[in-house]
Amino acid sequence: MRFMTPLNFCWLPIFAIILQSALPAAAIPRKDLDTYFSWAASHANRFGDEMCTTETIAILVKLAFERQGRRGLIIDVGANLGNVAEHFLKVFSLPTFMANAGQPVAGTLDLCQDLNSGLTYYGFEPHHLLFPHLKEKLQPYSTHHQIRVLPVAVSNFSGTAQLYHGCGDVSFQGASLVKTEHLDRRGKCRYKVTVVTLDQKFYHNKVVRQSGIFLLKIDAEQNDALVLEGGWRLLRNRMVKFLIFETWLKTAHGISFQGMVAKLHSIRYLCFLVTKVTLVPLSSSWWQPQYKALGVSNVLCGQSGDRDLFDAYIAYGTNNFTLFYALSNLLGDLDFVRTSLGRS
Ligand SMILES: *[C@@H]1O[C@H](CO)[C@@H](O)[C@H](O)[C@H]1NC(C)=O
Ligand SMILES: *[C@@H]1O[C@H](CO)[C@@H](O)[C@H](O)[C@H]1NC(C)=O
């Protein structure tokens, strides 16, 4: 066994990683997949304490935002009181380590911030009592960023519609175009609002045409599926880099969460459930029947073949299960894209 010297042995894990990254998901032994699925499902199904808020995504995608030159819109559908928006504006304004390009000084790094490039943020909040709070909260950021807040609803059509809202104390009430048992209980808590679609609003937008939508966050209280449908042209043309929305069980529109994940996968978006310990893959063969029962949880989607999605997944944190997924599936997908474009 002369070839099994310590030196040779050291290379084995590296070979294993190279081999894994070249294999499609199907090549993972069934036994390991089963362990992975039961592990993921056990984490996905512990509601409340296992789920993470949208804010966790900000720091994950910040690096990607810097790398693409801080370009692209941030769109916030259902901005509510602006808490998520404020978090993103803050995180995206944090300084970054970058080489001092202007006056290179050998061996030094500056902690610097490109103060000339603010963000372009669009917030949609149709609730007439929440809207003024949103506007006021984001006002201080408008000196440095382009902030647009609009008192309109977003769905799969344009025109006007009833907005249903909670009848109690206004500050923490949701509002939706879909009447749920919590909204409009007394039949008096509704009014007409203007409705737009994302395609109508942004498909011909100059900034979107040039740099795309960096992040689309949707929190439209049961109406998320219709917001996505109204932005399908943008999505299909891969003009949205990262997408965050909320899961739903049964709603009036009749679109299942599983169906939406599959539909997004058909245009090559990969989706993940945002749990405390990991991002749980949901698309294609990674879907598990247990996920049908998911309560309100956040979902992150990105484009397959996007290196930044791989990085965000890894940055979220990995263990022996999730690293396996990343190397065999996400990275494998990147390799596939490169090969198919003939750039390998
Ligand atoms: C919007 O979605 C609803 C529910 O699925 C559907 O009935 C309606 O036809 C859709 N409208 C448009 C304009 O696509
Ligand atoms: C992953 O690690 C856990 C302990 O942390 C262990 O029980 C499990 O068997 C490992 N799974 C794989 C696929 O290596």
Side-chain angles (χ1 to χ4, degrees):
M1 299 296 270
R2 243 190 310 146
F3 59 89
M4 221 35 173
T5 61
L7 184 68
N8 281 334
F9 194 72
C10 284
W11 284 96
L12 279 178
I14 294 165
F15 285 143
I17 288 171
I18 292 168
L19 193 64
Q20 270 181 13
S21 66
L23 294 174
I28 300 173
R30 187 67 227 177
K31 184 172 64 64
D32 290 352
L33 262 185
D34 286 346
T35 325
Y36 177 87
F37 284 144
S38 53
W39 172 82
S42 75
H43 281 277
N45 280 330
R46 261 180 261 151
F47 302 130
D49 50 328
E50 289 288 336
M51 294 305 152
C52 278
T53 56
T54 305
E55 278 92 331
T56 49
I57 304 301
I59 197 75
L60 287 188
V61 297
K62 178 180 189 286
L63 199 59
F65 189 63
E66 302 291 346
R67 269 203 298 249
Q68 75 166 44
R70 302 178 66 79
R71 293 179 310 137
L73 294 189
I74 294 173
I75 298 176
D76 189 359
V77 176
N80 214 286
L81 293 169
N83 293 336
V84 174
E86 189 174 32
H87 186 82
F88 269 89
L89 290 169
K90 275 185 181 156
V91 170
F92 278 30
S93 303
L94 288 174
T96 316
F97 279 105
M98 29 173 91
N100 187 335
Q103 298 164 304
V105 181
T108 66
L109 275 179
D110 270 356
L111 186 60
C112 65
Q113 193 176 350
D114 186 356
L115 289 173
N116 294 320
S117 60
L119 315 173
T120 308
Y121 167 92
Y122 278 84
F124 294 85
E125 180 47 64
H127 195 309
H128 68 313
L129 293 171
L130 297 182
F131 184 75
H133 293 281
L134 171 68
K135 219 172 160 181
E136 194 186 317
K137 177 166 260 171
L138 300 185
Q139 171 62 31
Y141 296 92
S142 61
T143 49
H144 183 52
H145 302 291
Q146 304 266 349
I147 308 280
R148 310 245 160 82
V149 284
L150 303 160
V152 303
V154 182
S155 190
N156 68 339
F157 65 95
S158 52
T160 57
Q162 295 285 354
L163 181 81
Y164 303 98
H165 61 93
C167 299
D169 175 8
V170 82
S171 48
F172 300 103
Q173 297 296 329
S176 178
L177 295 178
V178 179
K179 189 172 180 286
T180 67
E181 55 177 306
H182 304 295
L183 304 175
D184 192 33
R185 263 194 205 153
R186 286 190 246 134
K188 286 180 188 164
C189 309
R190 62 174 76 168
Y191 51 88
K192 262 201 178 155
V193 290
T194 303
V195 186
V196 296
T197 70
L198 290 174
D199 282 343
Q200 172 205 354
K201 196 82 195 137
F202 295 108
Y203 193 74
H204 296 291
N205 179 294
K206 214 170 136 199
V207 180
V208 174
R209 287 263 145 198
Q210 278 165 3
S211 323
I213 295 164
F214 181 79
L215 176 79
L216 168 59
K217 176 228 134 195
I218 304 168
D219 183 2
E221 306 278 336
Q222 308 280 320
N223 202 41
D224 292 27
L226 299 188
V227 176
L228 286 169
E229 296 214 318
W232 207 253
R233 203 168 164 206
L234 289 161
L235 289 163
R236 207 180 48 221
N237 286 289
R238 293 169 91 73
M239 289 155 89
V240 178
K241 189 176 175 78
F242 291 109
L243 169 65
I244 303 172
F245 62 92
E246 239 178 38
T247 57
W248 59 88
L249 281 168
K250 255 200 194 122
T251 69
H253 54 60
I255 302 165
S256 74
F257 171 56
Q258 181 182 5
M260 182 50 78
V261 170
K263 204 174 154 191
L264 282 165
H265 187 248
S266 76
I267 54 168
R268 305 190 69 235
Y269 276 86
L270 302 175
C271 297
F272 303 85
L273 194 68
V274 183
T275 75
K276 227 177 236 174
V277 289
T278 188
L279 294 173
V280 174
L282 298 171
S283 302
S284 179
S285 58
W286 299 91
W287 178 269
Q288 294 300 293
Q290 295 99 316
Y291 302 157
K292 260 190 200 151
L294 283 172
V296 176
S297 328
N298 286 304
V299 176
L300 168 73
C301 308
Q303 300 173 359
S304 83
D306 184 356
R307 176 81 209 200
D308 291 329
L309 180 64
F310 175 78
D311 286 2
Y313 185 88
I314 295 285
Y316 200 91
T318 57
N319 62 16
N320 59 352
F321 293 114
T322 60
L323 188 61
F324 191 46
Y325 167 81
L327 293 175
S328 61
N329 203 259
L330 282 177
L331 196 61
D333 184 49
L334 292 178
D335 289 340
F336 167 74
V337 169
R338 231 176 294 140
T339 309
S340 68
L341 292 178
R343 280 196 264 118
S344 56

